[in-house]
Amino acid sequence: MEWEAIESRLNALLENGRHGELRGAMRMLNVVDIAQYMENLDKDKLLLVFRILPKDISADVFSYMAPEQRQTLIESIGDQEIRALMEDMFLDDAVDFLEEMPANVVKRVLQNTTPETRNLINQFLRYPEYSAGSIMTIEFLEFHAGDTVKMAMDTIRRVGLDKETIYTLYIIDSARKLIGTLALRKMILAHEDAVLSDMMQRNPISVYTTDDQEIVADTVRRYDLLAIPVVDKEERLVGIITADDVMDVIEEENTEDFEKMAALTPSEDEYLKTSPFRLALNRIPWLLIMAAVAIFTGMIIKGFEDVLATSIVLTSCIPMLMNTGGNCGSQASTLIIRGIALGEIEFKDWFRALWKEFRVGLMVGVVLFLFTFLLVTLIYGASFTEALVVALALYATVLIAKGLGCTLPLLAKKIGFDPALMASPFITTLVDATSLTIYFMIATTILKIAV
Amino acid sequence: MEWEAIESRLNALLENGRHGELRGAMRMLNVVDIAQYMENLDKDKLLLVFRILPKDISADVFSYMAPEQRQTLIESIGDQEIRALMEDMFLDDAVDFLEEMPANVVKRVLQNTTPETRNLINQFLRYPEYSAGSIMTIEFLEFHAGDTVKMAMDTIRRVGLDKETIYTLYIIDSARKLIGTLALRKMILAHEDAVLSDMMQRNPISVYTTDDQEIVADTVRRYDLLAIPVVDKEERLVGIITADDVMDVIEEENTEDFEKMAALTPSEDEYLKTSPFRLALNRIPWLLIMAAVAIFTGMIIKGFEDVLATSIVLTSCIPMLMNTGGNCGSQASTLIIRGIALGEIEFKDWFRALWKEFRVGLMVGVVLFLFTFLLVTLIYGASFTEALVVALALYATVLIAKGLGCTLPLLAKKIGFDPALMASPFITTLVDATSLTIYFMIATTILKIAV
């Protein structure tokens, strides 16, 4: 059934007050889809539908709702309902939720949680933003090395297993240090008297609570994991991060790179939900910096007034020269930035990359040389000398742009800056100045000889 | 232990011929790390280490090796070894491997597989590239709705469970159609006489073999899945795709977008492993197209020779105007392209986005107007009229750039093109032409009045 059809059927049930049927219909849907359905409801209907929701999935649906709807709901429901909701939510989802709420809402919610949950939440809120600690969940299964399969299975049957726990048993020693992992699939095939330590995988791959989420994503991706344990600085197991959360981290990190590479201050908010004022603020600083640099670049033109006065063709070619130089630079820098992000290129590869870009530049340059020489002659009716100046300047620009494009991201990484900042806008601005200088130097030299 | 230390210890064991110890040492490492260690070995050592590898992990290590090493190995080992390797590899890994090999290697490998495996591989190789069918695995557990927990557990104990199968049971009807899923965690808590159909989740989320891998990634991410079933057009279950493979798809799709957004023909190969000739080929077509457009843009300058002759300030401001216009356009287009990729923005949101960008443009424009008016006056010693022309043209450029930046990606999507093509290089080239035209129109009008 199409989404529109589902939505209108749910709406019909809601409007006709057939709440029992609506509850039944929602049972057939995925919680993600229910949350999406609720996105378009007004405040009263939202509250009504939330109360109609089967109790066992309402915390799950709440976890997938947008921040605005969650705030509306929390402000409408009673303390009793808040308490039930908070106890049913996974701790990591509860923390995510609170991080987006205004202080007064956070206060009211925390007043309605058990002291134990409140302590845990407060501890989570203290982890640095984007750290492994801030995205982990504490719903995992831990066992001791000496436990038998039977003991472990009894524990599992007693506490149950849920979506977050996944299927890995984490094995700790008496100091709570993580010493091994065991896949549930291996355990259920084993004899019930077998001891966990004999089957477990030692030296498990883990991350620290303070590690950046980017390290988490890289590690999980490298080792094809479905969950990764998180330890504190004493190597004690404190949480796990599951693959579904890692996918979100990967997309977040990519969005951040896309934004930085377009000279935007990164923002976590969805575009359509961000105010024009906020968007403008995220864009203005970089625009001002680059406009200032470009104005200084313009000084180069001013300095070569005499040369330009002799030939309008030279002035006409400025856009082509600047544009192509910028494009060549950002082609190289994008590949390098991406290579760094995926862990394929490091600073030690700089010379290899530069040598590669030099050869690419030679080939690209020849093609562009011939192409512009021809086009400038045909379209602008440029003289041989003019066409030669333009084509030569372009060749030099291509080589320099490729060199800067591969060097700057690696250099930025080396000195601790984000390589993504060395993308198109910055490279273009820098290449502009360089290419214009070369252009006028070549023009002055060749035109002097020609005259 | 640091990676360098591990590597040198392994090398020492290898060079001293202590093969038994080397095998033991490798048992302590993750297969991904062993594959990385083998990357730097020459042909003879590579073959030696591969033969020293514990047999139960050699197929796994092989799956993580780089294509060149795999080809070297396959060309060195005997038919018997190829046969063992192919039978031990997961089918999706075997297919990935063969897709990267030259025809003669593929032929030799296929000759050394069982007819059954060969048929399966051939069937996989027929799925369109980047389709769900081409990335799925066939190692999954399927059961019938009427099976009891006891029957299912017996099957699991008999066939075992491995990494790819994960922990979901897929339930099919007599026509092999997928009708439900059941999490292993639910089953192991149930009574052994319970019937699967009573516990299973109906209407499971699935994808078709022909769906693009981007749809797979979006669906898995939306519903926070750890694996997704793949069905053929008759809704029959034919495979599953696991979260670890989806993470790779997400990074691949992002890399493709980064490359398109930098006017590069996308390539799957790692930068450092791609030849300069190949890199040049991927870059030249777009550079030529944009250089040609920029040369036509230059015609605008040629047409306004008279205006420019009256004021070198106006010529000097060309880089700033073009650069800022390009930056404004790519800021907007990047956010829209990213929003489309993440499913947050659709064509129906065009007017909302345009209205937002218009307001952003008004705010950004005011700031840039004042900033450039001031800087041009101070640095170039521009007259009031000149500064006004530049600042006004910039304001108009900002508004147009923001409008084009948000419209073109949505329009591209609507008519079936990839929105990522409407990024910085293309937008910049287009904005250049527009901004120069406006610039000279404003200049002509105002300077005429002023004179």
Side-chain angles (χ1 to χ4, degrees), chain B residues 39-339:
Chain B
E39 283 227 343
N40 299 321
L41 300 178
D42 63 32
K43 189 179 160 179
D44 293 341
K45 282 190 185 158
L46 179 69
L47 184 59
L48 183 59
V49 172
F50 184 73
R51 285 179 170 154
I52 291 172
L53 268 180
K55 281 290 150 282
D56 53 321
I57 60 168
S58 59
D60 239 17
V61 171
F62 187 79
S63 300
Y64 282 104
M65 283 165 55
E68 308 90 83
Q69 265 97 29
R70 301 211 275 209
Q71 189 174 342
T72 307
L73 259 183
I74 283 291
E75 289 170 351
S76 317
I77 62 178
D79 289 352
Q80 186 64 46
E81 284 170 298
I82 291 183
R83 217 166 296 147
L85 193 60
M86 291 307 291
E87 294 309 313
D88 283 350
M89 270 169 92
F90 287 117
L91 190 70
D92 58 337
D93 290 335
V95 171
D96 282 352
F97 155 58
L98 288 175
E99 278 174 341
E100 285 160 344
M101 291 299 115
N104 61 326
V105 173
V106 173
K107 201 174 154 200
R108 174 153 173 249
V109 170
L110 286 182
Q111 278 167 350
N112 285 296
T113 51
T114 60
E116 196 192 10
T117 310
R118 189 155 57 238
N119 275 340
L120 280 169
I121 288 177
N122 276 321
Q123 187 187 323
F124 264 68
L125 291 173
R126 274 198 301 273
Y127 286 116
E129 212 182 357
Y130 310 119
S131 67
S134 75
I135 56 169
M136 70 186 185
T137 175
I138 54 160
E139 282 88 4
F140 58 87
L141 295 178
E142 61 181 27
F143 299 90
H144 291 276
D147 293 354
T148 62
V149 169
K150 186 173 182 327
M151 289 161 72
M153 286 300 279
D154 285 347
T155 308
I156 291 172
R157 291 214 178 83
R158 203 177 59 244
V159 302
L161 280 166
D162 55 44
K163 195 192 88 192
E164 303 276 313
T165 10
I166 289 206
Y167 297 95
T168 305
L169 285 66
Y170 298 94
I171 294 149
I172 55 175
D173 67 10
S174 54
R176 298 195 47 81
K177 276 189 192 167
L178 176 68
I179 53 169
T181 58
L182 178 60
L184 180 66
R185 65 182 145 87
K186 282 199 181 152
M187 198 176 70
I188 65 170
L189 299 180
H191 189 275
E192 63 171 25
D193 291 331
V195 177
L196 303 192
S197 60
D198 293 338
M199 297 183 287
M200 73 184 184
Q201 167 105 40
R202 284 160 202 279
N203 303 320
I205 289 153
S206 63
V207 288
Y208 290 100
T209 49
T210 48
D211 281 344
D212 190 89
Q213 61 176 11
E214 203 163 355
I215 293 178
V216 175
D218 290 346
T219 312
V220 168
R221 224 167 59 79
R222 175 174 166 89
Y223 295 105
D224 283 350
L225 305 174
L226 291 176
I228 191 166
V230 184
V231 298
D232 64 15
K233 51 184 184 303
E234 278 87 33
E235 309 282 342
R236 289 176 306 207
L237 180 64
V238 290
I240 64 168
I241 300 169
T242 52
D244 52 329
D245 291 332
V246 172
M247 284 187 225
D248 294 334
V249 169
I250 293 175
E251 286 293 20
E252 261 179 48
E253 295 290 325
N254 277 310
T255 300
E256 196 183 308
D257 278 356
F258 276 109
E259 288 173 342
K260 283 189 185 159
M261 289 171 73
L264 289 157
T265 307
S267 146
E268 263 189 90
D269 304 318
E270 276 188 33
Y271 174 79
L272 290 175
K273 292 179 182 162
T274 313
S275 74
F277 182 70
R278 183 76 252 168
L279 287 172
L281 275 189
N282 290 343
R283 300 180 189 184
I284 288 173
W286 301 104
L287 289 176
L288 290 185
I289 293 170
M290 290 183 296
V293 176
I295 287 177
F296 282 99
T297 302
M299 298 282 283
I300 301 169
I301 295 184
K302 214 159 172 283
F304 286 88
E305 193 172 353
D306 301 342
V307 181
L308 288 178
T310 64
S311 158
I312 186 68
V313 170
L314 292 189
T315 315
S316 306
C317 287
I318 291 177
M320 189 276 295
L321 201 69
M322 286 173 51
N323 198 316
T324 310
N327 290 337
C328 283
S330 53
Q331 284 179 333
S333 74
T334 297
L335 288 180
I336 301 288
I337 291 169
R338 192 65 189 150

